[in-house]
């Protein structure tokens, strides 16, 4: 919780849902501990899409396809979505959901590690939704910014880490410290890089909205954390894991 609980409950109580298919999928996700963007984040995303009207969307972190389908339902029929997922158990579920929703023409799932897939992509995207392992955002950033067109929008989810982000380093459990450090660095870079305009907002689990106003380069990083592989995620328990929101 990043807002007082009563405030979150109130805001979410105003939500009117997203139609039977998506509401059912959300219920499935919650019941099966699959991460899915929260209702207040859902409407924030829908509003951003209505303002920005993207034609090409990239998503990093498909899970079972809820947010990709939500974006498809809230953009024009000629908008195409590319989404990346590396967790084998979730890939067939997401594909099946795209098919059942009749959206397989508009949504392309690229299976594999975003760190490997991002450098192979070429087309510029109007809108990028970053919603994968939080500790990796900083590593994805150089490629994500290369792929984002000028005046394109980058939306990053879960940046306030359930409020952990403002705790002292020492109050954070050992296993979460790397993620904590990297997320602080990520937000710092988004806020301090000339050519990027960023607002960090307390919606959902914290979101950062960034507009790329000029071509920018940010320092590259290498993945070094074994703790973020799907194998470790598996060990942490089925479809749900600590760093998989
Ligand atoms: N956007 C989804 C939720 C995504 S949860 C929704 O709201 O419906 C985050 C997903 O990112 C998980 O399924 C996880 O397996 C995936 N992920 C994490 N790190 C990744 C990486 N390096 N490459 C590809 N997918 C990754
Ligand atoms: Mg998320």
């Amino acid at each position: 919780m990043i807002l007082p609980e009563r405030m979150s409950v109130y805001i979410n109580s105003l939500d009117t849902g997203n139609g039977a298919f998506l509401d059912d999928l959300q219920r499935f996700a919650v019941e099966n501990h699959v991460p899915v963007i929260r209702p207040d984040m859902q409407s924030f995303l829908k509003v951003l899409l209505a303002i920005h009207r993207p034609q090409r969307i990239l998503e990093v972190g498909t899970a079972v396809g809820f947010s990709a389908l939500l974006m498809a339902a809230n953009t024009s029929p000629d908008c195409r979505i590319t989404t990346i997922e590396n967790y084998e158990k979730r890939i067939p579920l997401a594909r099946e959901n795209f098919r059942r929703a009749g959206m397989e023409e508009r949504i392309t799932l690229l299976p594999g590690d975003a760190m490997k897939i991002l450098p192979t992509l070429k087309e510029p995207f109007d809108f990028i939704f970053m919603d994968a392992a939080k500790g990796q955002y900083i590593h994805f950033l150089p490629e994500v910014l290369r792929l984002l067109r000028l005046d394109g929008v980058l939306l990053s989810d879960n940046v306030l880490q359930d409020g952990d982000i403002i705790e002292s380093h020492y109050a954070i459990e050992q296993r979460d410290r790397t993620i904590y450090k990297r997320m602080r660095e990520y937000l710092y870079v988004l806020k301090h890089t000339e050519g990027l305009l960023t607002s960090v907002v307390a919606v959902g689990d914290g979101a950062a909205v960034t507009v790329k106003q000029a071509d920018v380069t940010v320092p590259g990083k290498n993945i070094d954390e074994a703790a973020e592989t799907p194998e470790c995620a598996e060990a942490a328990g089925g479809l749900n894991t600590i760093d998989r929101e």
Side-chain angles (χ1 to χ4, degrees), residues 35 37 61 63 66-67 85-87 90 112-114 131-133 136 244:
I37 51 168
F66 179 88
S67 53
E85 175 59 54
N86 70 343
Y87 196 17
R90 290 180 181 159
D113 184 352
D131 193 20
Q136 296 181 7
R244 301 226 137 221

Side-chain angles (χ1 to χ4, degrees), residues 25-37:
L25 183 53
Q26 174 170 307
R27 223 168 291 124
F28 168 88
V30 171
E31 277 163 17
N32 291 280
H33 310 287
V34 173
V36 55
I37 51 168

Side-chain angles (χ1 to χ4, degrees), residues 20-245:
F21 187 91
L22 281 168
D23 291 351
D24 283 350
L25 183 53
Q26 174 170 307
R27 223 168 291 124
F28 168 88
V30 171
E31 277 163 17
N32 291 280
H33 310 287
V34 173
V36 55
I37 51 168
R38 303 172 191 194
D40 52 346
M41 182 66 179
Q42 294 165 16
S43 28
F44 187 62
L45 176 57
K46 283 154 68 172
V47 168
L48 288 180
L49 294 173
I51 297 171
H52 191 58
R53 302 182 160 276
Q55 297 288 303
R56 294 285 175 268
I57 297 179
L58 174 66
E59 174 179 70
V60 189
T62 318
V64 291
F66 179 88
S67 53
L69 285 168
L70 184 72
M71 292 193 284
N74 288 278
T75 45
S76 70
D78 53 350
C79 172
R80 295 283 178 274
I81 300 171
T82 301
T83 181
I84 306 174
E85 175 59 54
N86 70 343
Y87 196 17
E88 302 81 29
K89 277 195 184 175
R90 290 180 181 159
I91 293 165
L93 293 175
R95 288 214 163 108
E96 176 64 9
N97 287 326
F98 298 153
R99 196 191 56 75
R100 282 175 51 223
M103 288 291 185
E104 63 209 315
E105 299 288 302
R106 292 182 54 198
I107 305 175
T108 305
L109 193 159
L110 302 178
D113 184 352
M115 203 58 197
K116 297 211 177 80
I117 291 177
L118 290 170
T120 69
L121 300 179
K122 283 197 183 67
E123 70 175 317
F125 292 90
D126 307 308
F127 188 95
I128 300 183
F129 182 39
M130 180 93 96
D131 193 20
K134 292 170 272 208
Q136 296 181 7
Y137 288 10
I138 188 80
H139 303 305
F140 298 152
L141 191 59
E143 287 298 317
V144 160
L145 290 174
R146 176 182 67 79
L147 290 165
L148 190 62
R149 73 153 162 88
L150 274 186
D151 292 324
V153 171
L154 166 64
L155 174 65
S156 311
D157 191 28
N158 307 106
V159 300
L160 298 178
Q161 306 181 290
D162 263 335
D164 275 0
I165 199 90
I166 53 170
E167 297 296 334
S168 148
H169 172 83
Y170 301 101
I172 305 299
E173 286 198 38
Q174 191 66 45
R175 64 147 210 256
D176 293 334
R177 277 191 193 162
T178 311
I179 299 171
Y180 164 88
K181 204 173 126 264
R182 289 184 187 169
M183 188 56 84
R184 282 189 160 222
E185 191 180 347
Y186 181 70
L187 294 180
Y188 186 91
V189 170
L190 289 184
K191 289 291 290 185
H192 289 80
T193 303
E194 211 170 316
L196 296 182
L197 176 64
T198 297
S199 172
V200 178
V201 289
V203 62
D205 190 24
V209 191
T210 302
V211 181
K212 175 175 151 180
Q213 297 183 309
D215 281 316
V216 292
T217 39
V218 291
K221 296 263 161 115
N222 293 316
I223 293 282
D224 47 22
E225 290 297 304
E228 288 168 12
T229 65
E231 291 74 27
C232 293
E234 197 95 57
L239 285 172
N240 180 39
T241 75
I242 45 162
D243 190 25
R244 301 226 137 221
E245 193 162 345

